[in-house]
């Protein structure tokens, strides 16, 4: 039965990711890039200043909203996850190193898309009776279409989000942790899953303040740890860096040498893998991070839009690039296990789940490489579980009310446990399927409200310019 489901889901995903997803993401990114006057370039400096202006590892807990850094940390907690390691490796393996180039392109335009998501989330957020803040795509979808169609789209998004992030998405994360720990520490997957469930429960039942507080401590540490590890590999393989960068660019337009097949099919696979894994990683256009950006306390929506862009930059341009350089300089360089690509098939013993461990093991040694990647995956995936669980909870509250939240939390913990047991490929394909379903109603609403985003960007950038002159 599992094999039958896998074949059905992969077939549907091939159409969604190869055609629908790419078209929607690229067009949406292009639309908001021009609509906002290239906000990702003009607002880049101000974005970092705003994002880290309230940097703290022990932010204040408050009902009226999160600090910009807490919102960013929680958003990055979900963006920087297994997609940055396992997902990026899968994109390189199946789409060739050129898939990374297309991830960069998707991320550049995605910065404009996520700006729009955060701005609209701020504009449509709701204040609850107890003073807490809630928000997300369901609210701006209903604003874009204040009729039965809007109500249907909002409901469709909410259901897809609960399944994609709260349930199936969490399975991919616990699955990755379990596989990494089994490889590095020889620990049974069910034991790892049980530990993850317990730790998750301790945080999520404490509400948004505990999740944000945990995220703002974990995210800086885990990002720095992974970057330091990547720098060590890059320094050790410094002479191969020019080749790695050249391979990424060349393979983006002529990947046949790496993955085989005709030039048209090969390029399609490279772009498809880049778009699909780029979405899973930085989540721009998916409608996930607006839930947390809605809760940030800012003077105007433009500010949180800028902060949201920083999350995409950190996720893809920084973290995924480190993954790519580590993998390519070790496995794809001369003498590496994948130096000849996969035109004649994937070499035995190499999967997207263990590529990073093999790559780091080239310099750190096999055992140390396994342990390092396993530790990074634990932090990356656990922080993502916390954020994704929150997004699922917000949509559960929207659909069924506050009383259903505890039921949702218990069910989500069950899915986290099952994630360590299910087959890796099926879990990832199911996650891709529901992630892509989230994109459809979200992008439709974003484009429908494009004029509001453009107005906010114009006014916000003008205000930023005046501040810089003072």
């Amino acid at each position: 039965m599992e094999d039958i489901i896998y074949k059905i889901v992969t077939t549907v995903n091939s159409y969604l990711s190869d055609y629908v997803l790419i078209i929607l993401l690229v067009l949406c990114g292009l639309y908001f890039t021009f609509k906002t006057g290239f906000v990702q370039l003009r607002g880049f400096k101000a974005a970092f200043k705003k994002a880290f202006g309230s940097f703290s590892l022990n932010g204040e807990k408050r009902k009226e909203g999160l600090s910009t850094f807490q919102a960013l940390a929680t958003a990055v907690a979900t963006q920087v996850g297994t997609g940055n390691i396992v997902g990026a490796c899968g994109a390189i393996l199946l789409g060739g190193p050129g898939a990374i180039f297309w991830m960069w392109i998707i991320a550049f335009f995605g910065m404009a898309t996520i700006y729009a998501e955060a701005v609209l989330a701020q504009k449509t957020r709701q204040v609850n009776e107890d003073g807490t803040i809630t928000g997300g795509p369901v609210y701006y979808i209903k604003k874009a279409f204040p009729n039965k169609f809007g109500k249907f789209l909002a409901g469709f998004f909410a259901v897809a989000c609960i399944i994609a992030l709260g349930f199936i998405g969490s399975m991919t994360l616990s699955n990755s942790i379990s596989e990494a720990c089994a490889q590095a520490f020889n620990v049974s997957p069910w034991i790892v899953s049980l530990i993850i469930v317990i730790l998750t429960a301790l945080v999520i039942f404490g509400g948004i303040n505990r999740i944000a507080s945990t995220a703002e401590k974990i995210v800086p540490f885990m990002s720095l740890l992974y970057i330091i590890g990547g720098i060590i590999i890059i320094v050790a393989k410094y002479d191969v860096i020019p080749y790695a960068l050249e391979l990424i660019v060349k393979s983006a337009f002529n990947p046949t040498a790496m993955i085989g097949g005709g030039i048209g099919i090969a390029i399609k696979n490279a772009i498809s893998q880049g778009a699909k894994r780029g979405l899973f990683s930085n989540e721009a256009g998916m409608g996930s991070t607006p839930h947390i950006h809605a809760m940030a306390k800012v003077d105007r929506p433009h500010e949180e839009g800028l902060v949201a862009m920083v999350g995409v930059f950190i996720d893809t341009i920084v973290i995924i690039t480190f993954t790519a350089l580590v993998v390519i300089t070790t496995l794809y360089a001369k003498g590496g296990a994948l130096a000849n690509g996969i035109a004649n098939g994937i070499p035995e013993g190499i999967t997207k789940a263990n590529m990073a461990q093999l790559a780091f093991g080239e310099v750190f040694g096999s055992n140390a490489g396994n342990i390092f990647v396993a530790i990074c995956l634990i932090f990356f995936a656990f922080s993502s579980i916390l954020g994704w669980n929150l997004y699922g909870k917000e949509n559960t509250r929207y659909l069924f009310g506050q009383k259903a939240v505890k039921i949702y939390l218990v069910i989500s913990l069950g899915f986290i446990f099952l994630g360590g047991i299910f087959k890796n490929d099926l879990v990832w394909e199911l996650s891709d399927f529901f992630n892509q379903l989230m994109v459809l109603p979200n992008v439709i609403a974003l484009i429908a409200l494009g004029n509001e985003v453009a107005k906010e960007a114009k006014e916000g950038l003008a205000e930023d310019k005046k501040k810089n002159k003072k």
Side-chain angles (χ1 to χ4, degrees):
M1 179 60 72
E2 188 173 321
D3 290 335
I4 294 174
I5 295 174
Y6 177 75
K7 289 179 181 178
I8 294 173
V9 175
T10 51
T11 300
V12 175
N13 278 348
S14 66
Y15 287 99
L16 286 174
S17 60
D18 291 351
Y19 304 105
V20 179
L21 177 64
I22 292 173
I23 292 171
L24 279 178
L25 287 178
V26 172
L27 288 181
C28 188
L30 282 168
Y31 176 74
F32 282 109
T33 294
F34 287 99
K35 195 76 173 175
T36 60
F38 283 80
V39 68
Q40 65 267 62
L41 296 178
R42 295 170 62 200
F44 190 78
K45 182 178 179 181
F48 273 83
K49 184 177 180 181
K50 183 64 181 176
F52 297 103
S54 59
F55 174 79
S56 171
L57 295 180
N58 190 26
E60 181 183 356
K61 297 179 180 180
R62 47 193 175 186
K63 284 186 177 181
E64 69 273 15
L66 306 175
S67 70
T68 51
F69 181 74
Q70 284 178 318
L72 175 64
T74 308
V76 171
T78 65
Q79 293 168 306
V80 178
T82 58
N84 295 76
I85 300 179
V86 179
C89 287
I92 296 171
L93 183 64
L94 301 178
I100 297 300
F101 176 86
W102 297 113
M103 290 179 83
W104 290 341
I105 298 299
I106 290 292
F108 175 76
F109 292 118
M111 289 172 72
T113 301
I114 209 165
Y115 171 88
E117 290 180 299
V119 164
L120 293 175
Q122 278 281 322
K123 282 180 169 290
T124 58
R125 68 183 195 162
Q126 309 288 306
V127 180
N128 300 318
E129 292 182 0
D130 61 356
T132 57
I133 305 295
T134 189
V138 292
Y139 299 104
Y140 59 69
I141 289 173
K142 290 177 69 176
K143 181 178 181 178
F145 307 102
N147 48 36
K148 290 183 179 180
F149 178 64
K151 188 175 182 180
F152 166 77
L153 281 183
F156 181 90
F157 175 88
V159 172
C161 183
I162 292 169
I163 297 174
L165 304 183
F167 297 158
I168 303 298
S170 294
M171 289 180 71
T172 66
L173 300 171
S174 62
N175 185 284
S176 296
I177 294 175
S178 297
E179 286 205 356
C181 288
Q183 178 107 3
F185 310 114
N186 196 28
V187 181
S188 176
W190 75 265
I191 293 177
V192 176
S193 292
L194 183 60
I195 293 173
I196 297 170
V197 167
I198 293 172
L199 292 175
T200 301
L202 290 174
V203 178
I204 63 176
F205 281 101
I208 178 59
N209 281 325
R210 190 176 296 175
I211 292 173
S213 178
T214 303
E216 69 181 352
K217 294 176 177 63
I218 290 179
V219 169
F221 171 76
M222 73 182 192
S223 300
L224 185 61
L225 174 67
Y226 191 67
I227 289 172
I228 290 174
I231 289 174
I232 292 173
I233 303 296
I234 291 170
V235 170
K237 299 285 184 177
Y238 73 94
D239 57 322
V240 195
I241 295 297
Y243 168 76
L245 295 172
E246 181 183 359
L247 188 61
I248 289 173
V249 177
K250 280 188 175 181
S251 295
F253 302 96
N254 185 22
T256 53
M258 289 287 103
I259 61 178
I263 184 67
I265 295 175
I267 290 178
K268 187 191 76 172
N269 286 341
I271 297 175
S272 172
Q273 287 296 322
K276 184 163 58 176
R277 293 305 167 205
L279 169 65
F280 184 87
S281 180
N282 65 52
E283 303 179 24
M286 196 166 78
S288 53
T289 58
H291 296 94
I292 197 67
H293 289 302
M295 300 179 187
K297 187 176 182 180
V298 291
D299 293 331
R300 62 178 304 156
H302 167 74
E303 295 178 358
E304 193 58 27
L306 296 180
V307 172
M309 295 194 311
V310 175
V312 173
F313 183 86
I314 292 173
D315 171 88
T316 305
I317 307 303
V318 178
I319 304 296
I320 281 183
T321 299
F322 268 99
T323 297
L325 291 177
V326 167
V327 168
I328 295 171
T329 56
T330 54
L331 301 183
Y332 283 82
K334 185 177 180 181
L338 290 165
N340 297 318
I342 61 168
N344 297 317
I346 299 175
E348 186 177 352
I350 295 181
T351 68
K352 64 186 178 186
N354 70 3
M355 277 180 68
Q357 291 169 315
L358 293 173
F360 278 98
E362 288 288 317
V363 174
F364 291 176
S366 179
N367 290 335
N370 287 344
I371 292 171
F372 177 78
V373 174
I375 292 172
C376 290
L377 269 175
I378 289 170
F379 282 110
F380 281 20
F382 179 67
S383 63
S384 292
I385 287 174
L386 299 181
W388 282 3
N389 190 280
L390 170 65
Y391 303 157
K393 184 179 75 172
E394 290 299 307
N395 284 277
T396 298
R397 180 186 286 117
Y398 168 77
L399 287 175
F400 308 110
Q402 182 62 35
K403 291 182 179 180
V405 168
K406 287 186 178 181
I407 298 174
Y408 156 79
L409 293 176
V410 172
I411 295 174
S412 67
L413 292 174
F415 273 89
I416 293 171
F417 180 78
L418 291 174
I421 303 171
F422 271 35
K423 183 178 177 182
N424 181 280
D425 289 337
L426 175 59
V427 173
W428 276 86
E429 289 295 335
L430 285 171
S431 179
D432 285 339
F433 174 71
F434 286 104
N435 283 346
Q436 289 162 159
L437 289 185
M438 288 174 60
V439 174
L440 300 175
N442 184 57
V443 168
I444 291 171
L446 290 176
I447 293 175
L449 296 171
N451 288 335
E452 285 199 29
V453 176
K455 181 181 178 183
E456 184 66 29
K458 182 179 180 180
E459 294 176 355
L461 289 171
E463 188 175 300
D464 292 341
K465 191 174 181 179
K466 288 181 180 179
K467 289 180 180 178
N468 290 333
K469 288 182 177 180
K470 292 181 180 180

